[in-house]
Amino acid sequence: MVATPQTIVISGYYGFQNSGDEAVLQSILNALQKQSAAAGVSIEPVVLSIDPEWTTANYGVKSVHRMKLKEVRKAISESSGLISGGGSLLQDVTGSKTIPYYLGIIKLAQWMGKPTFIYAQGIGPVSRKLFHPLIKSVFRKCAYISVRDEQSRQLLHTMGLGGKTIEVVPDPVMGLSLPEEQGGQATDVAARKFADAAAKSSSAYAEDSEAGNEVSLPVVGISVRYWEGDRAELKAIAGGLLKAAEKTPLHFKFLPFHHPSDNEASRYVMDQLKDVASKGSKISICEDTLHPLQMLREVEGCDVLIGMRLHSLIYAAGRRVPLIGISYDPKIDHFLDRINCQPVGATTTLDSEKVAAQVLELLENGSDWRLEREALIASLVSDAESPARHIAQYLHRKG
């Protein structure tokens, strides 16, 4: 018999319609549902979101506005605990207000006597040393800490948390699966949203395809973002794609993970590829792919994927799609290292010849790439639900 539901507040970068972070949320919700059933405890999530209505409509869970303190305090006070994560929440690359916000939410829960759980976070970079003692103070009072790579654990150790148990786990998205693979674990809302999205055209833009053209081409998925001010990395990617298309016709499928900025970055590259259509290649962009399960399906349909966004690479690995990572942040290198890969280059020094060579190599030998990494990736997928398992068992004991 399942006990009375226990409410868990989930804090993260949610409701911004960033496909990677939305995938983290979907993965956490799936894992909590599965592991709570196994532990004999009922968990009702409440998500802190910048757009609570959108989050509720897409995931079928309660949600409150992350910036309305009165609502946040009420949700936490009525809960059985708080999850912070996953993703790169505790870093100061994107600004000085990010770390205080997420630490403040955790500290608020601790003040109220609620257990707090750090869920597969990527810690750092944290260049402002003044944040180190603050992170230490908050984390040492957490009931459970998990990080998504060894480098994050080592960074926490340097902050003075060496005596605290810190579990290194895969990114939650490694465990993300499609509704038909989840059996009874898929939420009704998630499955319905995915079905609605999948019924729509996945490619809203195709410059070069003619009516009735059904020629099947190798699909190269491309996830880009703006990073270098002079767009040198995007120009190098475009150059590499052009060189690859000179060897064989290809379908370049652009996958924007963060709207609208990634749409703009994608079109910046697409504008440099217009001539490939006359040589038999195809260009498309998945501009309306907002739900993480729909994006997962799009990635699964690729023969190789070039990714700047971390979660585009994680999607690809989880679906066993050979991938090419471009380094702009340590988190890219850390993930690639976990699956025995190296970046094709950094955004500052990217070489179009190398991009083209890797695309053609993986298209030719993709089965070898998958075979070499199957056991490693399967292990990461299996371990991705470890934080949810721990939290469910914790709540079962306390309940």
Side-chain angles (χ1 to χ4, degrees), residues 190-220:
R192 185 174 67 252
K193 285 290 180 181
F194 172 73
D196 291 345
K200 299 177 181 179
S201 172
S202 63
S203 299
Y205 175 82
E207 298 181 331
D208 58 339
S209 60
E210 299 178 358
N213 182 7
E214 300 296 335
V215 176
S216 178
L217 300 174
V219 180
V220 179

Side-chain angles (χ1 to χ4, degrees), residues 327-380:
S327 177
Y328 72 94
D329 185 285
K331 65 186 179 183
I332 301 294
D333 303 81
H334 297 164
F335 174 70
L336 292 175
D337 184 62
R338 294 195 76 174
I339 60 169
N340 195 26
C341 289
Q342 295 292 324
V344 67
T347 55
T348 53
T349 58
L350 194 60
D351 181 82
S352 60
E353 293 282 357
K354 291 183 179 180
V355 173
Q358 282 211 13
V359 169
L360 296 172
E361 166 66 20
L362 289 178
L363 287 174
E364 179 72 20
N365 299 305
S367 58
D368 292 339
W369 187 96
R370 286 185 284 270
L371 185 61
E372 291 170 7
R373 293 166 178 79
E374 176 55 37
L376 182 58
I377 292 174
S379 176
L380 293 176

